[in-house]
Amino acid sequence: MKAVFISGHGDNAVVQIGERPKPARGHGDVLVRVMAASLNRVDLYMRDSGKGITHSLPHILGLDGAGIVEEVGPEEPLLTVGQRVVLHPGIGCGRCEFCQRGAGVLCTGIQYLGEHRDGTLAEFVSLPARNVFPMPASLNFEQAAALGVCHLTAWRMLFGKAQIQPWETVLIFGIGGGVSLAALQLAKLAGCKAIVTSRDAGKLQRALDLGADHAINGSTQDITREVMALTGGRGADVVIENVGQAVWSHALKSLVRGGRIVTCGATSGDQPPADLRRIFIRQLQIFGSTLGDLAELRDLLAFVERSALRPVICATYPMDEVHAALDALEAGSQFGKIAITIGPATPDAQ
């Protein structure tokens, strides 16, 4: 099968497009013909070093994906050949205490597609049936692929961790990235007021066009002062952030007393000042979050079926142009997800 894989670590020179063995479907697994995937920062990390992630070379990239069921065993009652599906990229062991309590995303032996095992930038992928979900009819393959990482991550942050309420104000840092945009879409559909930040005026305007209530330019405005002005001196109920050190102080200072901050990344550094006095005096709550459980993806997909949510796809590349797609992701100028078509490009679903 044709795939995108790394033969070493470094720059795009180690990213190959060529033939790899087609995976064999094991008992209880589903073989999926991948139609589309999207890029994530971890694809750059795996290309650059993959340090700390157990993997072998050559290694197929790609964390999320959507496609068509190619093969399924007779023991599987819910999936059929030809069905359009979305993939959950986290393969839990099924035996540890966390898997057994239904918290598979905390599994001590979890393996992720594109990290610990071959990923979705390939014509086929085989994975357990429990990780394969019917695809929302309202989406095309590129849009559906984007749900499995960024929207699932934002879903857990907003509803699983922060447990947002429709009367609350949510402050979202770094609008333009996949998780931040997903958080904006979900928060607005949940009835919340959304304040977004970026250092890019163009991204802020596009976020306003998508429904953000207020936008703050971090390069020309004091974020905390603006948040307080917009909330009558009260502060935001919830902060969603994946930037880390560069914005952490603003994030804490922008919260209302008893407010919640949920973090899922640290692209600008992971050692910010703790500001412990502020945390305990104002009784702030801090949550770490990564991806989401199988049940959370099920709930997200049901929500998509009942709403007008469509992931924002900023650019689509064929598999043969994956080097250009990786360059675009690394530049950080995208507004939304960068999709990779594995099969033919698909029109918007009706």
Side-chain angles (χ1 to χ4, degrees), residues 135-332:
M135 179 177 138
S138 59
L139 304 183
N140 62 28
F141 286 114
E142 290 77 21
Q143 293 165 335
L147 294 174
V149 174
C150 288
H151 279 75
L152 178 56
T153 299
W155 179 272
R156 183 176 178 87
M157 293 174 80
L158 289 167
F159 300 108
K161 297 292 185 173
Q163 299 185 14
I164 58 170
Q165 301 297 324
W167 55 83
E168 292 186 312
T169 297
V170 180
L171 171 63
I172 303 168
F173 281 88
I175 201 66
V179 173
S180 297
L181 274 175
L184 170 61
Q185 291 180 302
L186 292 169
K188 289 306 299 176
L189 286 169
C192 295
K193 179 181 290 186
I195 303 172
V196 300
T197 81
S198 174
R199 299 174 65 86
D200 185 313
K203 291 182 179 182
L204 291 173
Q205 183 56 56
R206 294 185 68 180
L208 290 169
D209 294 341
L210 275 177
D213 296 278
H214 304 285
I216 300 172
N217 191 321
S219 64
T220 60
Q221 296 174 287
D222 183 296
I223 294 174
T224 302
R225 184 177 294 126
E226 293 298 321
V227 171
M228 290 302 169
L230 292 169
T231 59
R234 180 178 178 274
D237 298 283
V238 173
V239 167
I240 299 296
E241 83 88 25
N242 57 15
V243 179
Q245 192 165 320
V247 303
W248 189 253
S249 179
H250 287 298
L252 292 180
K253 292 177 182 177
S254 296
L255 278 172
V256 69
R257 289 175 177 270
R260 296 99 74 198
I261 179 170
V262 191
T263 179
C264 71
T267 57
S268 67
D270 61 359
Q271 298 295 320
D275 202 359
L276 291 178
R277 287 192 185 90
R278 179 176 296 275
I279 292 171
F280 66 72
I281 290 173
R282 299 178 70 88
Q283 299 196 41
L284 305 181
Q285 302 175 70
I286 300 173
F287 299 95
S289 192
T290 301
L291 201 63
D293 287 322
L294 297 173
E296 288 171 314
L297 180 55
R298 178 200 62 204
D299 292 344
L300 168 61
L301 294 173
F303 182 85
V304 171
E305 288 279 19
R306 291 166 172 77
S307 70
L309 190 152
R310 290 193 178 194
V312 178
I313 306 296
C314 74
T316 301
Y317 294 82
M319 188 192 295
D320 288 339
E321 296 179 16
V322 70
H323 291 144
L326 288 166
D327 287 342
L329 178 64
E330 192 166 29

Side-chain angles (χ1 to χ4, degrees), residues 63-121:
L63 192 60
D64 53 31
I68 298 169
V69 174
E70 183 81 2
E71 296 178 14
V72 63
E75 74 282 353
E76 170 51 45
L78 302 178
L79 299 170
T80 58
V81 171
Q83 188 172 4
R84 291 152 57 102
V85 291
V86 178
L87 310 181
H88 186 295
I91 316 299
C93 72
R95 297 296 297 162
C96 71
E97 63 172 294
F98 303 103
C99 285
Q100 290 184 350
R101 71 167 72 142
V105 76
L106 299 178
C107 173
T108 57
I110 195 166
Q111 293 187 328
Y112 289 109
L113 299 176
E115 296 184 38
H116 309 93
R117 53 193 288 168
D118 282 336
T120 56
L121 290 181

